[in-house]
Amino acid sequence: MSEERNKPETYLLSKELEEAVQVAEITARPLLLKGEPGTGKSLLADYLSFKTQKKLYSWHVKSTSLAKEGLYFYDAVSRLNDSRFTEDKEKVRNIENYIRLGALGEAFSAAEPSVVLIDEIDKADIEFPNDLLLELDRMEFVIQETGRKIKAINRPLTLITSNNEKELPAAFLRRCIFHYIDFPEPAFMADIVSSHFPKIESSLLKRALESFYVIRTMDDMKKKPGTSELLDWIQILIHMGAKLPEDGRIPYIGALVKNEEDLKLFR
């Protein structure tokens, strides 16, 4: 189909979010973003990279992630294998050949200004944010295995997202600009949908939003659909040429409701 999802140029910022980005740029502090899943926290980094023509370095945090991995990684396994199987002994002796920079390390080393995304920081261990404090403040770090210091040539615009799975340390919060992305009101949501699907019929848009917000008002739902689910659903409706039934039935409900108990409740 002609419409494409999640293109950076289709991203819409609220006035409040735009101001938060400006404050982060002025203060040169990381912007910490919270909000419901699917409200566009991570996509903001793609948009800012597109808008400013700055390269984006992304670090998607996992439960097993260590703070050091965002800076660099010493590939000892590759060095061991090379020591056994390669004839290039000079390469093996030089540890630098086995240092791999992470997203922050690459951004610090870049000659041009950049955007850094540290995505879902609350997935990691509780000490993870504190372990990054010094590097985010000073914009430099030392590779312990070689003693080489990497200092940011240009301070990157750093975005950090959290889904509130864990409370973040107070010391870390003090060093961030904070913004909570509120769930869009219907009028702003209509603008968001139209930016992704500019050819959508007004009648389909109106009825789709009405059905969507009715679902979100159901108090007993465990997982209310977000913006991402809405865009998926509308993409399906457009692709299938579907019309919303007059009796209120919602086709392709699996794009909106992602929980078995919620599905039973809805039905």
Side-chain angles (χ1 to χ4, degrees):
M1 58 188 297
S2 59
E3 291 89 355
E4 295 182 24
R5 282 286 314 282
N6 294 338
K7 293 192 297 184
E9 59 266 35
T10 64
Y11 191 92
L12 292 184
L13 282 77
S14 66
K15 180 181 178 182
E16 293 78 14
L17 179 54
E18 189 171 6
E19 288 179 351
V21 173
Q22 291 175 345
V23 171
E25 291 176 327
I26 292 169
T27 59
R29 290 190 178 275
L31 174 58
L32 174 62
L33 297 169
K34 291 187 179 183
E36 284 188 33
T39 49
K41 301 185 294 295
S42 303
L43 290 176
L44 176 61
D46 291 298
Y47 167 76
L48 293 175
S49 173
F50 168 80
K51 179 184 177 182
T52 61
Q53 295 299 295
K54 296 178 181 178
K55 186 170 181 178
L56 172 62
Y57 298 95
S58 298
W59 181 15
H60 301 286
V61 178
K62 302 177 181 178
S63 59
T64 56
S65 294
L66 301 175
K68 181 181 176 182
E69 294 170 353
L71 303 172
Y72 75 94
F73 169 68
Y74 169 44
D75 193 351
V77 174
S78 292
R79 191 183 187 203
L80 177 61
N81 287 336
D82 285 350
S83 68
R84 296 170 60 189
F85 302 115
T86 187
E87 296 181 0
D88 190 353
K89 301 304 179 183
E90 187 61 34
K91 174 186 177 182
V92 176
R93 279 192 288 269
N94 188 354
I95 297 181
E96 283 287 357
N97 291 322
Y98 303 93
I99 299 296
R100 315 284 186 253
L101 294 180
L104 282 173
E106 289 185 336
F108 288 4
S109 302
E112 301 294 330
S114 60
V115 177
V116 171
L117 171 64
I118 304 176
D119 199 25
E120 297 187 330
I121 193 172
D122 52 323
K123 278 189 174 181
D125 183 84
I126 188 62
E127 291 302 322
F128 180 95
N130 281 338
D131 291 341
L132 285 175
L133 287 180
L134 186 63
E135 288 76 15
L136 290 175
D137 269 349
R138 297 185 178 179
M139 287 285 143
E140 65 180 36
F141 66 93
V142 175
I143 297 176
Q144 298 298 326
E145 288 77 6
T146 65
R148 176 163 63 100
K149 178 185 286 188
I150 294 182
K151 184 177 179 62
I153 302 172
N154 298 283
R155 180 177 285 264
L157 173 58
T158 305
L159 306 181
I160 304 172
T161 73
S162 169
N163 286 325
N164 265 340
E165 291 186 13
K166 296 187 184 77
E167 286 295 325
L168 298 175
F172 179 79
L173 294 175
R174 283 197 300 271
R175 290 166 169 81
C176 296
I177 302 301
F178 174 76
H179 181 75
Y180 186 89
I181 301 181
D182 290 312
F183 197 82
E185 295 295 327
F188 187 50
M189 184 65 84
D191 291 338
I192 292 174
V193 173
S194 296
S195 72
H196 286 269
F197 306 103
K199 297 179 181 179
I200 187 172
E201 295 179 4
S202 59
S203 59
L204 176 60
L205 174 60
K206 180 176 182 295
R207 295 195 59 196
L209 289 179
E210 288 174 351
S211 298
F212 173 74
Y213 279 96
V214 165
I215 295 176
R216 280 191 58 85
T217 59
M218 298 175 68
D219 294 332
D220 294 333
M221 291 193 73
K222 293 183 177 294
K223 169 66 174 71
K224 295 185 178 183
T227 307
S228 180
E229 284 86 2
L230 173 63
L231 294 175
D232 284 341
W233 183 51
I234 289 180
Q235 183 177 13
I236 295 168
L237 292 175
I238 295 174
H239 183 78
M240 299 298 290
K243 302 292 184 183
L244 293 179
E246 296 293 338
D247 61 5
R249 288 184 296 109
I250 298 179
Y252 315 112
I253 190 63
L256 293 172
V257 180
K258 305 292 183 69
N259 179 283
E260 182 180 356
E261 293 181 26
D262 288 343
L263 189 59
K264 291 178 180 178
L265 175 68
F266 181 80
R267 286 173 173 168

